[in-house]
Amino acid sequence: MTASQSLFERAKQLIPGGVNSPVRAFRSVGGAPFFTKKASGATITDADDRELIDFVCTWGPAIHGHDNPVIREAIAHALENGTSFGTPNPYEVEMAELIVEMVPSVEKVRMVNSGTEATMSAIRLARGYTRRDKIVKFSGCYHGHVDSLLIKAGSGALTLGNPDSAGIPGSFAEETIVLPYNDATAVEEAFAKYPEQIACIILEPYPANVGLIMPRSGYLQKLRDLCAQNGAVLIFDEVMTGFRVSAGGVQEREGVTPDLTTLGKIIGGGLPVGAFGGKAEIMDQLAPLGPVYQAGTLSGNPLAMAAGIAALKLLRDSDAYTRLEKMGAQIAEALRVKAAEIGLPLQVPQVASMFCVYFSDMPVTNFEEATASDTASFAPFFHKCLERGVYLPPSAYETCFISTAHEQGAIDRACETVSAALEEVR
Ligand SMILES: *Cc1c(COP(=O)(O)O)cnc(C)c1O
């Protein structure tokens, strides 16, 4: 038995499924997960001393790779002064200044401890601000495990959502209207059907938890206009895309201004951090100024703020995005070229340092098309890559990430590896 296998056996006795977050269990690709004992730069070292080139990057946060020296130094420096104060601290002010400077639509911001907390709070705020109950989300968009957001596909436009998870009361789900992504007409119809009842639309502007889907031209602006016309709050969930696709996220790339934005992942520099922010008029509805309650014992934690500030400054003050975009394009192109050469139907959406692989002969524009792709081919592809030392996300519906710590040599090796794996699974 390997060290990872023996750890997993012990973990399964004590932790449900042996993991603290379900997708880590490798259920959708089969086999047992490896345990990581350390990670540095673009390399993960597992419990059996195997070295892997990492394209999961801790599911998005590690845009500077693992154990970045500047971030480590920032944490060490903060640590000298204590780990938590329960009073305001100077780091929180600097963090807020950075976010407001970098994310175009954010005038005021509040820090929380995870992406889930950010979306949960943003929805409560939108409801409190509009004094309306219903929310619109899109099938295939993931917003953390918030009750009212853990709802996927109804049978079509205007179908009220069914709970995706056990334990969510049907009465909660009734307040969530689930629509197909990339279909503006469905949104128009929802506003017509529920006049003055919809508090907000929340979406991943580039859905990246069902592979990677790009918005049709004009779609995001159309959502912006519909929300303005109907008095609803537009929430961009940029927990994954924020600081990932550009310093200002999708809203900067696409030039569309949401009312509220949720952030997480990269913003913590590898520590647990989330944030939500937006128009001052809406944010000022939060306690202690306004009637919408929201709080957190460890929110604005000095270590987490120090790590996040260092991570954001590294992005602001470098040409990171240019390099990341180049590496993303290189891998995507290698996959496309190989697929064409061997006659394998493959879609490789890519934006900046995010890419994914759909075994499909048609471009994927929504959740239904994503789930209609040949997901069974993903598992062998994943395992062929892993055998050769390249770690991709262990699910057909996750996005691959590249970090600034990926050297050209690692990218070249990954291109060879994914190409060879495609040939074997064909
Ligand atoms: C990861 C993610 C979340 C949830 O963040 P957690 O920190 O895991 O709670 C929410 N929204 C999006 C778009 C995400 O990718």
Side-chain angles (χ1 to χ4, degrees), residues 21 59 113-117 119 142-145 204 208-209 237-241 262 264-265 273:
S21 195
W59 305 90
N113 307 290
S114 71
T116 295
E117 234 188 290
T119 59
Y142 177 69
H143 304 292
H145 59 98
E204 294 181 75
N209 283 285
D237 179 357
E238 298 227 44
V239 169
M240 189 180 277
T241 51
T262 55
K265 299 200 166 118
V273 180

Side-chain angles (χ1 to χ4, degrees), residues 22-92:
V23 74
R24 293 181 198 168
F26 276 31
R27 285 281 172 116
S28 72
V29 290
F34 62 83
F35 281 59
T36 300
K37 70 175 183 192
K38 70 173 186 192
S40 174
T43 307
I44 274 185
T45 307
D46 78 3
D48 297 284
D49 290 320
R50 188 172 52 148
E51 294 199 341
L52 303 167
I53 306 175
D54 181 18
F55 289 95
V56 182
C57 291
T58 183
W59 305 90
I63 197 166
H64 301 295
H66 299 283
D67 197 25
N68 177 281
V70 176
I71 299 176
R72 179 169 12 102
E73 181 57 36
I75 298 171
H77 182 74
L79 185 57
E80 283 172 20
N81 295 317
T83 59
S84 177
F85 310 134
T87 69
N89 70 65
Y91 292 109
E92 296 171 284

